[in-house]
Amino acid sequence: MPAGTLYRGREGMWSWVAHRVTGVLIFFFLFVHVLDTALVRVSPEDYDKVVATYKTPIVALLEYGLVAAILFHALNGLRVIAVDFWSKGPRYQKQMFWTVMGVWIVLMGGAIYPVLGHAYRALFGS
């Protein structure tokens, strides 16, 4: 495969950028998650306070963003694997990119209520 084949075109460039950004965001989340979970051994009261802040509508939006990042990163990772290991992958990478985007949008639409339902009820009542 010639150099630059994987990320040829505008879609390839943006998927490359988005893949790295979502990877860094997921790493940051995991780092914070390990720290806040470790807090339970240091101060259970402070841990309870931190967990209480996670039940706010703003954090629900951040959780939805986390779902978006993980889902995109996973789907795009499968696309990258297909481009790397399928002999016809480089030829169909643009179509695979738009397929990933379509599947991602559908799944993100399906995640709205499960992830943001609590925030909606907290803001507007049940």
Side-chain angles (χ1 to χ4, degrees), residues 2-21:
T5 301
L6 179 59
Y7 300 111
R8 185 173 296 162
R10 189 174 312 164
E11 296 86 2
M13 178 188 69
W14 285 113
S15 69
W16 183 88
V17 170
H19 198 74
R20 270 95 189 134
V21 168

Side-chain angles (χ1 to χ4, degrees), residues 17-115:
V17 170
H19 198 74
R20 270 95 189 134
V21 168
T22 56
V24 169
L25 291 173
I26 294 165
F27 175 79
F28 177 72
F29 162 76
L30 290 173
F31 180 73
V32 170
H33 179 64
V34 167
L35 288 178
D36 73 5
T37 304
L39 188 60
V40 75
R41 290 191 162 268
V42 177
S43 173
E45 298 82 20
D46 288 338
Y47 173 79
D48 291 338
K49 290 176 189 175
V50 169
V51 169
T53 64
Y54 292 164
K55 297 177 182 172
T56 63
I58 291 173
V59 174
L61 287 173
L62 292 173
E63 285 177 345
Y64 190 69
L66 177 63
V67 170
I70 291 170
L71 192 56
F72 176 81
H73 194 79
L75 293 171
N76 192 55
L78 292 174
R79 183 191 69 81
V80 169
I81 289 169
V83 170
D84 285 348
F85 292 106
W86 180 36
S87 62
K88 296 180 183 179
R91 186 179 322 153
Y92 294 110
Q93 66 178 319
K94 189 172 187 175
Q95 293 88 337
M96 287 189 291
F97 170 78
W98 288 111
T99 301
V100 162
M101 293 307 295
V103 170
W104 180 75
I105 288 169
V106 167
L107 293 175
M108 287 307 299
I112 288 174
Y113 182 75
V115 177

